[in-house]
Each structure stands twice: as structure tokens, then as C-alpha cells.
């Protein structure tokens, strides 16, 4: 548990952090909550000569509302997401997923930005942002840019972030009136990461039919994904045993499932369907 | 033997909070890694990345050049000053491989130490370790015992010609009884390999003082005296100049009752280099190279009459010896055989044991060592029998229990149970769960498509080993006796020294209670010290659930002697006969004459004053005592649990757990319950989640807590624990062991419950751990679920 030698930097501004990233190139890494990066360094699976701690930069950890969305700073911890009053009222899917991350220590240190940038195929917040069509605000040497969540995750542990860019903020829309959401997770017994996690938000019509269903899954594929076919199958339907089952069957369409000791591919696909059905059932009117 | 009198302060039986906890919980404990010495060097190891390979070359030149590196060692460089590790206990016919501290040209498991580096700083040592290049020529490996015994299996030790380490039959004849039995149950059962995973990993600091040859060793161990003798013998060091200290130790579970190569090397290097050497094991090293637990496979055959009366039990046991068995490794299956008939009257029983070499780190004692395995096989087999005969598993247990009047009972495998009352625990457990209502609920839920299962396990094991005839190489186990030394300081405060070496058992509290009770003083006036060979009389350490029953009895004997001396002194001081004086609540007095009294503190002070002593009395209130049990004591109990299986996901969820355990006299029921809690959690780990998995090349796939699951608080329901007290006749406390009760009762109770839940699907047996995927797959393959 001894990492290889590294220099520690603690810049106070985003510009300084970017300058450090530029001058140290691929020898540098940003440090947020450290709960993904530090274990890798301690096991020497990652070698980082320059560790740039962005925890001292002010203004990166806040949750605030604008007209139609909520802005969440990259350094917001999982605990802050889980406990936010604002989110509980205006976008409860995030806290519902955040509270299921790891354990208290992990949630107190781990950050939204770190989780997204790390892009673990089993991360809990990723499917939430996909389902909500979040916008990511990114800053690099040339200034800021915005990216849709759907374009951010490119492959396992890889994102569209350039090596000298920092994720600043995530923007999620307010939950529509008459919508309900759920995050169902089957945690791995050892790592507590998601074997399968299903994020759902459904906007209902006045007569209780699904107007817009949003469904995204983590843990199943190299990159968490949105289950568009399943979403479409729900449109106009009430949530019944039948419509739920039909949607659940479709969430694994075309997926090349991950496979490991704990959950081989066939079991994982099965879990995805069962978990989806349970997530949808939890939204059905009683 | 006589029972204890209960002092007026009522310490024995009191639910006292552990006195060690404030220290441990506020971070004021001292663990090995807290030891910092001036000039201290750091040791690190290069470990094999292959399960079996010839070492073609090791290049240490780059590492040696790293600034701050003091020395680099391979087998060649330590030859001559570091001996081989002790081989396994010499069972008849056992083949013992040479066990080198650093691999000698050939590696036989992933994690085997290949080279060592010593540096000024821990970070440097770790960097240098990486600069060492080892050139391996990989060879086929075998990690599965059944595969290892096949004729064409890769050989772990070529010179032996096979992977069979030894073969041993125990018990009497079973063939005729099985022939005559109305039903015969046969089942292959796996007691899978698990990792002890102590919260504190292993670690050592060794310090050599050149001026007088004094060597001080801080070691995370369960048995400092035994380790001292081993170190002295193996490294040819003067035992009296060798001091082994077990500071606060963060758990052992059996894995720290052994001397490991890293530890012996650290001591040898401290002497060689003339500077203190520290080694702290990393978690991954712990998972790879510290001893594992269980790793047994049994073919169980149980024969019975139609009414459920058991006629015969046969176990064909494969016991994993790993690549290099430790001293106690081969003893596990012998322990299994000894208690294989459990709480039951089984006239014919036989165990055929085969020890098998594999390309793995050797298993060694693990909480329940050998006996937990036995309880698992038997309790599972009884459920299979009940199912086959369509009898109530509770009734089958009852019908076969050894009855209280049948003790002492000699089992066919040679173990004498001295006393017990199995029915009482079973009855209380059934009352507590309200078995009638529970079974109704189970039926009702089944009709709603919910599957709950009820599991029972009645167990007995043996604890607190007596002195046994020594096998060659088990000599380090000096015996079953334990020592205590008790002294009263001039102000009346008491210090107890114990040869046991607690590492989580709360003995600083329980042993203090025993002394305080006997002397009838406050608990706060007693302190218990342990784990330092320089100040503690020789003891045999803490293992095998021996410390309270055996070590506590020694404390009681020492306290009794001090009490008698105090009474004699008080009588002299008060001018009366000894019989007239009472010692109670911190003072000695003449009943009926409250003014004729002396406080315990004044008595203590007086005892230091030679001129005030009666003729012939030596100064000071102090005594040492040794207690030797003439047999193992037998803790027993019944565990009942309720699980619900989510048949869609295969996940078993524990809903209720009732444990009724008998450890004889419970000195501190709070601590006893804590031992049950921890043990049940650990047993749940084995039953439901823990397992070491190797791939076909012998690479372990479970090498961190990302893959290897252990239970956490959130896996546990509130445990419903109750104690019955059937005093053991084997010691003056009337105590039995308790440390291993949880890991013995829980696995069969849990597996029986899950199998019961799945009965509607025709499931009769599942091997541990009952991971959701495993459960789902049998249901899926049976066509029961999608
Ligand atoms: C025991 C344990 C259990 C866990 N369980 C779960 C779980 O159940 N579910 C789950 O989703 N996760 C889980 N995690 C992961 C956890 O959520 C991590 O905290 C998270 O993945 C990374 O966040 P961090 O702030 O710790 O990032 P760090 O570890 O500091 O960084 C991770 C990566 O992101 C980069 N990075 C960080 N911030 C930024 C930024 N603003 N811009 C650009 N790059 C950045 C870093 O350079 C690094 O490459 C677990 C972790 C542990 C240790």
C-alpha cells in the first residue's frame, strides 16, 4: 500500500490547476476525493508523478438552482448529494443513487466530478446523469465548453475529457411535475459497486400513463447506457405487470454484458431485467 | 472440583464493559506498526507471481543501487544464517517438504516470498522491491485437491512422486452398520478455503543490542512465549536474552499462532545488520501468503434406521496442505475426526483422511479449526437424513442426542465428552423462535411465492486442549496448561499476569473479574498484563478457545492462594484464628465485631512489613499458579436462523438468528455474547460470501476486498443470544470455551436454512458460499425461475 513517488500540488484556482496539468502532461492527475485514484496508486496500478489536489479551489462544491436546472459543482461529495434538501425536492433521483454509493466514508470523500471523470463501468451516478440528460461544464486551456452526458463517457474508464481539462459543473434539469423516479441497485458483496444499477424517471400524464420514461443502466456494459427501446415501449402505457415485463426484457437488447466471478454474463443480464422490473414496479401507482 | 464462591462484589457473572475498549476505541492502543525505533530499517518482499515455476535467475543489481537500500537478499544470500522453517507436525507417514524462508530456485504458490529488501525507509523498500527482476520458467500448477490426486496432475513436490501428503484412518468399523442401515445418505461437501483477514495484518519489529546480545521482538502474535522458544531454537539464540512482546494485537483467528518466514527473517536480519528491522504486512500479502482457513472436502456417509436413529457415520476427508504445510496444518482433519459424531450417540464412526499438497498458501488454524468443519458435515447430513425419511430435523436431532446421564461419553473416534445438556439449548432456541408459529408463517408465505427457510444446528466442539503426547515438531506447543501470577501492591491494588495472549477476547476484563471476585475487591483495583516474555511467566497463548477456561482457572488458583494468605495475615493482625476471619468487600473482619477489621489495602501494606508478619510467613501477598486441564472441555449450543431467499436474484437474506450457547460458567456474559456475535458474523461470512478462488493457472482471483467479500454490520440482523450454564467439571471455574462457538454453529445453521427455503424446488444441498449467483443458477437450471 505504498504508492510510487509523487509531487503534491494544491492550486487555488482552476487556471493554476490547468497550467499544472499542461506543464506536467501525462505525468499529472487531478485529485478530488481520492477514493478511486488513491487505491490505484497504492496498489501501483496507477503511477502519478504529479498529484494536483483541486480540493482547495473555491467554488467547486455547491448545489444551486437556476430557472430550469440545478447546478452541481464537481467537488460536491456523494454525502452532500444524498443530503441536499434542494435535490430531494427538485431532482430526487441524484440523492437516491448517491445514498447507495459505498459506505459513509466513501460518500464523505468521493465526489461527483471524480466519479464521472473516473468513469467506472459500475458507477452509480453515471446512469443517473445519462437518464437526466445532464450537461457537463468543462474548462481547459482554451476556455470552457459544454458536453452532454451522453457524449462524455466514451469507453470503460475513459471520457471525452482532454488531459488538460477539468470538469467544473454538472447541470441537471429540474424533475418535471408529475414525475417519479427510482434508483435500484444490486451491490457487489465485496466492492459494493453496482453489479447492476437502474436509474428511472417517469413523467406521467394526467391519467397516469407514462409520458416520458427515462431509463439508464450501470454495471452491465463497459459504458453505462440509456435503454431507449425500453423507454419507447413504455410510452403511453400505464405501469402494469405486462408493460413492466416488456420494458424489462428490452433493457438488455444489444448489450455485450460484462462478466466476472461474482456475476457471470448470463446472471448479470438476468439481474438487469429483474432490477429494471423492480425499479419500474416501485413507480407504479399503488 | 469445587465450584467458585461468589464474592459480595459479584464479579463473576457480571456484565462488565471491557476495560480495554476505551484504549482501543480512542486510538490509544499500541500495535506493532506504532513501534518506532531510532535507526529502524524496513523490510519488504518480492513475491512469486506464478503458482509453480522454476526460478531461472534473480537480478537484484538495480534494487541494490537504489539510494537508501541497505541490502537485498535471495535464498542464496540468507543461506547459512537463516534456517528452514519448521515442517508440519510429524504424523505417521507424512511427507514434509523443505520450507525455505525465501524460495530456493522453485516457487510453489502465488505470493511465496522470493527475495527481500531492506531499506532506510519503507517507501524506498517498496520501490526497490519493484526493481528486482525475477526470471521464471512457469510450470503447470494445481490448486484443486481432487485434481491434485489424479494420476496426471502436476506435482507440487516432484520428489514425492504424488501430491498425497499423508493418509490416516481413524475410528472404528462402519461397514457392517452401514450395510444394516435402513437408509444411507451420501453427500460430497466442501468446506471452502477462506482468508482469516485479521483487522491488523501481520507485522514485526526486531531489535538487536550488540552490547549484550539482547534481542527484543514486537510481534503481532497469539503466542509470544511459543514464538520465543521457536525463534531461540531455530536461530540458535539464547532464550533468556530474547524478549517477545505481543502489544495490542488486532485479531488472530488462528493465523497468528504460527511463526512465519518473514518474521524469522526480520529477527535474523536485525542481528545481522545490527539495526532494528520492521516489516508490516500489506493486505494483499495477507490474502496471498498468510495461512488460510478450512480448505477441506468431505464425502459424508450417514446410515440410519427408519426412525432416524443414526447407526454410522463415515467421512472421507481431503485436507489441503498447501505447498508448505505449517506445524499445525495436518492437525485440522484430526480435529475434524475427533469430534465428527458431534452431540450424538453414533456407535460407529470412521474418518479416512488424506492430506493433499496444492500450489497454494497452506491452511492453518482458523477460528473453529477442524471442529467447525465436523459440525458442518454432520449438521448438514442430519438435515439430509430428515428430508429423506420425511422426519422433522428437530426430532432427528433429539432422538440421537447424548443424554445428560450418559456422560462421560466416549466417541468412537476417541474423544471423551465429560458433560453436556444438548436438549436444553435446543428447547430454548425453539421457544425463542416460536417454532410452531414460524413454520405456519413459512407455509403461508410459500403459498404467496415467498421462500423463507428455517435452519438448525446443534453443535459441540472441544476447547482448551490438555497436554498431549508430543508429536515431533509440535514441541513448540508446550502443553495445555496455563500460568498466572498475581500480586498485591503495597496500596492494595492487584496486578495479574497471564500467560494467555489476548488479541480481542476481552481477557483484560474477564480475568480481572475472576481475581476481583475471589479477593472480593473492586474490578477497578485489578489490572491484567500479558504478552511480554520478559515480565510474564511462560504461557501457551490464546488459541483454541482456551484462555478463559484454562488461563482463567490459573488466575483463580493464584487468587485463591493470595486470599488464604491475606486471611492468615488478617487473623494474625486481629489476634484470632484464621477460621474466624472473613474477607469481604475490600476488608477483613470478625463477623459480629465490625470494629475488629482491617482494610484490604492496609493488609497489603502490612504484608510488606516483615516485622508485622506471623512467624514463617514470607512478605508480600502474591502467588503464581498453573492450571492443567486433564481433558478438552466441550462447549455446545443450538443455533436457529430464518432466511428468506429472493428466488429472482438468488440472494439469501438473514431475517432472524437465535443462538443458545453453553460455555459453562459465563464470567462476563456481555463478553461471551460479543464472542458469539463476532463468531456468527464470521460464520455468516463463510456460509454466504467468503471464498478464495484460483484460475486454471493457479492465480488467485480474490486478492483484495474488491473481490473478497467479508460480512459487515449491515449484513447482520440483531442477534438473539441466550446462554445456558452447564458447568464443566474440568476446571474450577466450571467454564467452557466460547471463542469458536459462532463460527461452528453459524455455517450449518445458515446453509440448512437456505436449503430449507429452497425445498419446494427440490434442492437438497448447496456448497458454501451461498452466493446469489450460485443459488440462482440451481433454481434456473431446475427450471424454477428464469
Ligand atoms: C470502498 C469503496 C466503495 C465504493 N463504492 C462505490 C459505489 O458503490 N458506487 C460508486 O459509484 N462508486 C463507488 N466507489 C467510488 C467512489 O464513488 C469514488 O469516490 C469515485 O468514483 C471517485 O471520486 P473521487 O472524488 O474520490 O475521485 P478521485 O479518486 O480523486 O479521482 C478519480 C479520477 O477522476 C479524476 N478527476 C477527479 N475530479 C476531476 C475533475 N473535477 N475533473 C477532471 N478529472 C477529475 C482524477 O484525476 C482521477 O483520475 C467506491 C470507492 C471505494 C473506495
Amino acid at each position: 500500500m505504498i504508492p510510487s513517488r509523487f509531487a503534491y500540488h494544491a492550486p487555488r484556482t482552476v487556471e493554476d490547476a490547468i497550467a499544472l496539468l499542461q506543464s506536467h502532461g501525462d505525468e499529472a492527475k487531478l485529485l478530488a476525493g481520492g477514493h478511486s485514484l488513491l487505491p490505484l496508486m497504492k496498489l501501483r496500478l496507477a503511477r502519478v508523478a504529479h498529484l494536483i489536489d483541486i480540493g482547495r479551489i473555491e467554488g467547486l462544491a455547491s448545489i444551486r438552482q437556476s430557472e430550469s436546472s440545478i447546478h452541481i459543482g464537481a467537488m460536491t461529495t456523494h454525502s452532500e448529494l444524498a443530503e441536499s434538501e434542494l435535490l430531494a425536492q427538485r431532482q430526487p433521483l441524484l440523492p437516491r443513487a448517491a445514498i447507495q454509493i459505498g459506505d459513509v466514508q466513501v460518500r464523505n470523500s468521493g465526489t461527483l466530478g471524480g466519479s464521472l471523470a473516473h468513469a467506472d463501468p459500475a458507477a452509480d451516478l453515471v446512469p443517473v446523469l445519462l437518464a437526466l440528460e445532464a450537461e457537463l461544464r468543462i474548462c481547459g486551456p482554451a476556455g470552457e465548453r459544454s458536453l452532454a452526458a451522453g457524449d462524455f463517457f466514451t469507453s470503460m474508464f475513459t471520457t471525452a475529457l482532454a488531459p488538460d481539462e477539468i470538469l467544473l459543473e454538472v447541470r441537471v434539469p429540474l424533475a418535471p411535475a408529475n414525475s417519479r423516479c427510482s434508483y435500484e441497485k444490486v451491490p457487489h458483496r465485496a466492492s459494493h459497486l453496482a453489479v447492476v444499477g437502474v436509474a428511472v424517471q417517469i413523467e406521467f400524464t394526467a391519467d397516469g400513463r407514462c409520458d416520458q420514461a427515462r431509463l439508464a443502466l450501470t454495471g452491465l456494459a463497459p459504458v453505462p447506457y440509456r435503454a431507449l427501446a425500453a423507454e419507447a415501449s413504455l410510452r403511453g402505457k400505464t405501469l402494469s405487470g405486462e408493460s413492466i415485463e416488456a420494458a424489462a426484457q428490452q433493457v438488455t437488447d444489444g448489450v455485450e454484458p460484462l462478466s466476472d466471478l461474482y456475476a457471470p454474463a448470463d446472471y448479470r443480464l438476468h439481474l438487469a431485467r429483474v432490477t429494471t422490473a423492480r425499479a419500474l414496479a416501485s413507480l407504479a401507482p399503488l | 472440583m469445587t465450584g467458585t464462591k461468589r464474592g459480595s462484589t459479584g464479579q463473576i457473572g457480571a456484565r462488565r464493559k471491557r476495560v480495554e475498549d476505551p484504549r482501543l476505541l480512542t486510538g490509544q492502543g499500541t500495535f506493532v506498526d506504532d513501534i518506532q525505533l531510532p535507526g529502524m530499517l524496513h523490510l519488504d518482499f518480492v513475491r512469486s507471481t506464478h503458482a509453480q515455476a522454476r526460478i531461472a535467475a534473480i537480478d537484484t543489481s538495480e534494487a541494490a543501487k537504489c539510494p537508501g537500500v541497505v541490502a537485498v537478499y535471495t535464498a542464496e544470500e540468507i543461506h547459512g544464517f537463516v534456517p528452514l522453517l519448521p515442517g508440519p507436525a510429524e504424523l505417521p507417514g507424512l511427507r514434509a517438504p523443505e520450507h525455505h524462508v525465501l524460495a530456493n530456485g522453485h516457487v510453489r504458490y502465488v505470493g511465496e516470498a522470493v527475495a527481500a529488501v531492506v531499506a532506510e525507509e519503507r517507501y524506498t523498500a517498496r520501490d526497490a522491491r519493484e526493481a528486482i527482476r525475477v526470471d521464471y520458467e512457469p510450470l503447470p500448477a494445481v490448486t484443486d485437491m481432487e485434481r491434485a490426486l489424479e494420476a496426471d496432475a502436476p506435482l507440487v513436490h516432484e520428489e514425492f512422486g504424488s501430491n498425497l501428503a499423508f493418509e490416516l484412518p481413524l475410528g472404528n468399523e462402519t461397514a457392517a452398520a452401514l450395510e444394516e442401515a435402513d437408509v444411507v445418505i451420501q453427500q460430497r461437501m466442501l468446506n471452502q478455503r477462506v482468508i482469516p483477514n485479521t483487522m491488523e495484518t501481520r507485522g514485526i519489529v526486531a531489535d538487536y543490542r550488540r552490547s549484550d546480545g539482547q534481542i527484543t521482538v514486537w510481534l503481532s502474535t497469539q503466542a509470544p512465549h511459543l514464538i520465543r522458544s521457536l525463534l531461540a531454537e531455530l536461530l540458535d539464540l539464547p532464550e533468556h536474552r530474547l524478549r517477545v512482546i505481543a502489544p495490542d494485537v488486532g485479531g488472530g483467528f488462528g493465523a497468528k499462532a504460527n511463526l512465519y518466514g518473514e518474521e524469522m527473517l526480520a529477527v535474523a536480519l536485525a542481528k545481522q545488520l545490527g539495526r532494528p528491522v520492521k516489516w508490516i504486512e500489506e493486505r494483499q500479502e495477507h490474502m496471498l501468503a498468510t495461512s488460510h482457513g478450512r480448505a477441506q472436502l468431505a464425502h459424508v456417509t450417514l446410515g440410519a434406521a427408519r426412525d432416524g436413529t443414526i447407526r454410522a457415520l463415515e467421512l472421507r476427508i481431503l485436507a489441503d496442505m498447501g505447498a508448505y504445510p505449517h506445524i499445525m496444518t495436518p492437525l485440522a482433519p484430526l480435529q475434524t475426526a475427533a469430534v465428527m459424531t458431534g452431540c450424538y450417540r453414533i456407535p460407529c464412526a470412521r474418518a479416512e483422511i488424506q492430506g493433499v499438497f496444492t500450489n497454494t498458501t497452506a491452511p492453518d488454524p482458523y477460528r473453529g479449526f477442524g471442529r467447525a468443519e465436523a459440525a458442518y458435515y454432520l449438521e448438514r447430513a442430519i438435515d439430509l437424513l430428515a428430508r429423506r425419511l420425511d422426519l422433522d430435523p428437530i426430532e432427528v436431532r433429539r432422538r440421537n442426542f447424548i443424554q445428560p446421564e450418559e456422560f462421560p461419553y466416549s466417541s468412537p473416534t476417541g474423544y471423551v465428552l465429560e458433560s453436556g445438556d444438548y436438549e436444553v439449548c435446543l428447547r430454548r432456541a425453539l421457544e425463542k423462535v416460536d417454532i410452531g408459529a414460524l413454520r405456519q408463517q413459512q407455509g403461508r408465505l410459500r403459498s404467496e411465492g415467498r421462500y423463507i427457510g428455517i435452519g438448525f444446528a446443534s453443535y459441540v466442539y472441544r476447547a482448551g486442549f490438555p497436554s498431549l503426547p508430543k508429536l515431533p515438531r509440535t514441541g513448540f506447543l508446550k502443553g495445555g496448561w496455563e500460568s498466572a501470577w498475581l500480586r498485591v501492591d503495597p496500596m492494595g491494588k492487584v496486578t495479574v499476569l497471564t500467560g494467555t495472549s489476548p488479541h480481542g477476547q476481552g481477557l483484560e476484563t474477564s480475568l480481572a473479574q475472576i481475581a476481583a471476585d475471589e479477593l472480593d475487591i473492586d474490578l477497578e483495583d485489578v489490572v491484567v498484563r500479558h504478552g511480554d516474555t520478559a515480565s510474564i511467566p511462560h504461557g501457551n497463548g490464546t488459541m483454541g478457545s482456551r484462555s478463559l477456561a484454562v488461563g482463567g482457572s490459573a488466575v483463580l488458583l493464584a487468587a485463591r492462594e493470595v486470599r488464604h494468605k491475606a486471611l492468615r495475615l488478617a487473623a494474625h493482625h486481629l489476634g484470632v484464628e484464621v477460621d474466624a476471619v472473613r474477607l469481604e468487600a475490600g476488608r477483613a473482619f470478625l463477623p459480629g465485631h465490625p470494629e475488629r477489621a482491617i482494610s484490604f489495602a492496609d493488609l497489603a501494606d502490612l504484608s510488606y512489613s516483615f516485622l508485622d508478619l506471623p512467624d514463617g510467613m514470607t512478605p508480600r501477598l502474591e502467588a503464581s499458579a498453573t492450571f492443567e486441564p486433564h481433558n478438552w472441555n466441550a462447549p455446545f449450543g443450538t443455533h436457529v436462523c430464518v432466511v428468506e431467499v429472493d428466488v429472482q436474484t438468488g440472494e439469501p437474506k438473514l431475517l432472524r438468528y437465535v443462538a443458545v450457547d453453553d460455555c459453562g460458567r459465563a464470567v462476563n456474559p456481555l463478553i461471551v455474547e460479543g464472542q458469539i456475535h463476532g463468531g456468527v458474523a464470521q460464520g455468516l461470512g463463510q456460509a454466504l460470501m467468503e471464498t478464495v478462488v484460483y484460475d486454471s493457472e493457479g492465480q488467485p482471483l480474490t486478492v483484495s476486498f474488491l473481490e473478497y467479500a467479508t460480512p459487515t454490520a449491515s449484513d447482520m440482523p440483531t442477534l438473539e443470544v441466550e446462554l445456558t450454564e452447564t458447568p464443566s467439571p474440568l476446571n474450577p471455574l466450571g467454564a467452557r470455551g466460547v471463542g469458536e462457538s459462532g463460527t461452528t454453529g453459524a455455517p450449518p445453521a445458515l446453509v440448512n436454512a437456505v436449503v430449507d427455503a429452497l425445498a419446494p424446488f427440490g434442492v437438497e444441498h448447496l456448497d458454501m458460499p451461498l452466493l446469489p449467483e450460485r443459488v440462482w443458477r440451481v433454481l434456473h437450471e431446475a427450471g424454477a425461475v428464469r
Side-chain angles (χ1 to χ4, degrees), chain A residues 3-190:
Chain A
S4 55
R5 180 177 290 275
F6 61 87
Y8 173 82
H9 308 268
R12 300 296 170 132
T13 64
V14 171
E15 294 69 37
D16 287 352
I18 290 171
L20 282 164
L21 281 174
Q22 281 190 293
S23 58
H24 297 294
D26 56 8
E27 294 211 305
K29 273 255 175 223
L30 298 177
L31 173 70
H35 267 53
S36 290
L37 182 56
L38 295 185
L40 291 174
M41 288 172 62
K42 287 177 169 184
L43 292 168
R44 299 205 174 197
L45 296 171
R47 262 156 228 281
V48 178
H50 294 273
L51 202 54
I52 304 166
D53 186 348
I54 53 173
R56 310 264 178 100
I57 301 174
E58 258 171 61
L60 286 184
S62 65
I63 307 177
R64 65 188 172 82
Q65 185 185 341
S66 66
E67 207 162 307
S68 60
S69 29
I70 298 178
H71 303 247
I72 308 169
M75 286 300 289
T76 306
T77 63
H78 306 323
S79 288
E80 286 161 352
L81 294 177
E83 285 156 17
S84 158
E85 272 300 311
L86 177 59
L87 286 173
Q89 281 171 17
R90 309 308 306 266
Q91 188 38 276
L93 185 53
L94 264 167
R96 275 178 205 174
I99 193 68
Q100 296 187 50
I101 293 175
D103 52 38
V104 178
Q105 291 94 321
V106 172
R107 294 195 291 274
N108 282 346
S109 297
T111 65
L112 173 62
S115 179
L116 302 183
H118 188 59
D120 191 305
D124 289 306
L125 297 175
V126 175
V128 171
L129 298 198
L130 290 176
L132 297 179
E133 293 181 15
E135 282 278 317
L136 277 50
R137 196 155 67 83
I138 295 165
C139 189
E144 291 193 12
R145 64 175 176 131
S146 266
L147 206 59
D151 297 326
F152 183 75
F153 305 100
T154 51
S155 63
M156 214 193 266
F157 297 112
T158 316
T159 68
L161 277 175
D164 53 6
E165 284 185 316
I166 298 181
L167 176 60
L168 294 181
E169 185 184 271
V170 172
R171 231 171 12 235
V172 291
L174 300 177
N178 209 14
S179 71
R180 287 200 270 159
C181 65
S182 160
Y183 184 74
E184 283 282 329
K185 170 178 180 180
V186 178
H188 187 291
R189 272 266 159 82

Side-chain angles (χ1 to χ4, degrees), chain B residues 145-325:
Chain B
M145 288 190 283
E146 286 171 316
R147 170 75 188 115
L149 290 181
E150 287 170 10
D152 63 341
L155 294 178
V156 179
H157 300 282
E158 204 146 31
E159 67 273 25
F160 295 153
S162 88
N163 290 319
L164 186 65
F166 70 96
E167 254 177 317
L168 201 71
L170 283 166
N172 59 10
E173 269 312 314
T174 47
L178 286 172
E179 187 76 22
E180 284 160 22
D182 294 330
V183 286
V184 174
I185 301 296
Q186 287 191 305
Q187 182 65 51
R188 174 187 178 278
M189 296 184 199
L190 180 68
N191 231 297
Q192 83 276 24
R193 177 182 280 264
V194 295
I195 303 177
N197 269 321
T198 51
M199 211 188 287
E200 182 205 19
T201 55
R202 290 190 290 126
I204 185 169
V205 173
D207 183 31
Y208 175 69
R209 194 164 61 199
R210 196 153 278 174
S211 55
D212 61 359
Q214 170 69 37
I215 298 177
T216 307
V217 173
W218 288 263
L219 179 67
S220 186
T221 182
Q222 301 173 219
H225 282 96
L226 305 187
I227 297 297
R228 180 177 68 147
S229 298
L230 264 181
L231 280 172
E233 186 186 318
L234 295 167
L235 292 173
D236 197 18
L237 300 169
E239 197 171 21
H240 63 306
R241 295 196 195 282
L242 185 55
R243 176 181 180 190
V244 177
I245 301 170
D248 283 317
V249 172
F253 307 125
K256 292 179 185 168
N258 181 30
L259 175 70
Y260 290 86
E262 298 92 344
E263 300 160 6
M264 189 159 74
L265 185 63
V267 176
L269 291 180
K271 187 169 176 217
Q272 176 93 352
L273 299 168
R275 287 174 66 181
V277 173
K278 179 188 254 187
W279 174 69
I280 301 293
E281 182 186 54
E282 295 184 352
R283 179 62 60 186
Q284 203 158 55
E285 295 181 290
H286 181 84
M287 291 183 150
L288 290 175
T290 287
S291 60
H292 288 167
R294 310 284 186 256
Q296 245 194 37
L297 178 78
H299 286 269
V300 183
T301 306
L302 184 76
R306 201 155 288 122
D307 68 354
T309 307
I310 302 172
R311 302 282 190 227
L313 173 65
E314 216 173 74
L315 297 181
R316 276 197 294 121
I317 300 175
L318 297 188
D320 202 329
M321 299 291 106
Y324 312 99

Side-chain angles (χ1 to χ4, degrees), chain B residues 239-531:
Chain B
E239 197 171 21
H240 63 306
R241 295 196 195 282
L242 185 55
R243 176 181 180 190
V244 177
I245 301 170
D248 283 317
V249 172
F253 307 125
K256 292 179 185 168
N258 181 30
L259 175 70
Y260 290 86
E262 298 92 344
E263 300 160 6
M264 189 159 74
L265 185 63
V267 176
L269 291 180
K271 187 169 176 217
Q272 176 93 352
L273 299 168
R275 287 174 66 181
V277 173
K278 179 188 254 187
W279 174 69
I280 301 293
E281 182 186 54
E282 295 184 352
R283 179 62 60 186
Q284 203 158 55
E285 295 181 290
H286 181 84
M287 291 183 150
L288 290 175
T290 287
S291 60
H292 288 167
R294 310 284 186 256
Q296 245 194 37
L297 178 78
H299 286 269
V300 183
T301 306
L302 184 76
R306 201 155 288 122
D307 68 354
T309 307
I310 302 172
R311 302 282 190 227
L313 173 65
E314 216 173 74
L315 297 181
R316 276 197 294 121
I317 300 175
L318 297 188
D320 202 329
M321 299 291 106
Y324 312 99
H326 298 298
I327 298 171
M328 289 189 268
T329 304
L331 304 182
L334 274 62
Q335 293 262 51
T336 307
V339 297
M340 65 184 274
T341 53
C343 328
Y344 310 103
R345 208 186 306 100
I346 303 180
C348 303
R350 185 174 173 79
E352 311 252 355
I353 300 167
Q354 291 186 311
V356 187
F357 292 118
T358 58
N359 290 109
T360 63
T361 188
D364 218 24
Y366 171 67
R367 202 173 187 178
F369 188 44
R371 296 98 85 226
E373 289 88 320
Y376 178 73
Y377 304 139
L378 183 53
E379 290 304 297
R380 273 273 53 235
I382 286 185
D383 267 32
L384 285 163
L385 176 66
R387 179 86 68 90
R388 177 79 62 86
L389 291 171
D390 200 19
L391 293 173
D392 183 343
I394 301 169
E395 275 320 305
V396 175
R397 287 181 169 82
R398 275 210 169 110
R399 194 156 297 169
N400 290 285
F401 274 158
I402 301 161
Q403 298 302 314
E405 66 277 8
E406 291 176 85
F407 294 102
Y409 174 86
S410 301
S411 85
T413 50
Y415 174 47
V416 180
L417 290 153
E418 306 262 355
S419 80
D421 194 342
Y422 308 136
E423 173 68 29
V424 169
C425 290
L426 177 65
R427 190 171 57 236
R428 274 306 298 147
L430 295 176
E431 283 166 13
K432 250 178 122 78
V433 291
D434 194 352
I435 187 68
L438 193 57
R439 281 183 161 160
Q440 274 179 9
Q441 187 197 11
Q442 180 181 32
R444 207 169 49 242
L445 287 173
R446 258 182 204 169
S447 62
E448 294 168 17
R450 286 180 57 190
Y451 298 90
I452 70 167
I454 309 164
F456 311 94
S458 292
Y459 70 85
V460 64
Y461 60 100
R462 55 183 203 175
F465 50 87
S467 294
L468 299 164
K470 277 180 193 153
L471 291 164
R473 286 207 280 263
T474 54
F476 96 106
L477 277 179
K478 300 291 175 209
W481 54 265
E482 196 45 81
S483 67
W485 194 69
L486 187 148
R487 73 162 193 261
V488 186
D489 289 327
M491 295 175 81
K493 309 293 186 195
V494 171
T495 299
V496 174
L497 308 183
T498 174
T500 68
S501 197
H503 46 279
Q505 294 81 359
L507 290 165
E508 289 176 30
T509 311
S510 314
L511 298 185
Q513 284 178 259
I514 293 169
D517 191 82
E518 184 64 19
L519 298 174
D520 219 334
I521 56 177
D522 288 342
L523 185 65
E524 291 66 33
D525 288 343
V526 184
V527 66
V528 174
R529 300 195 187 282
H530 53 82

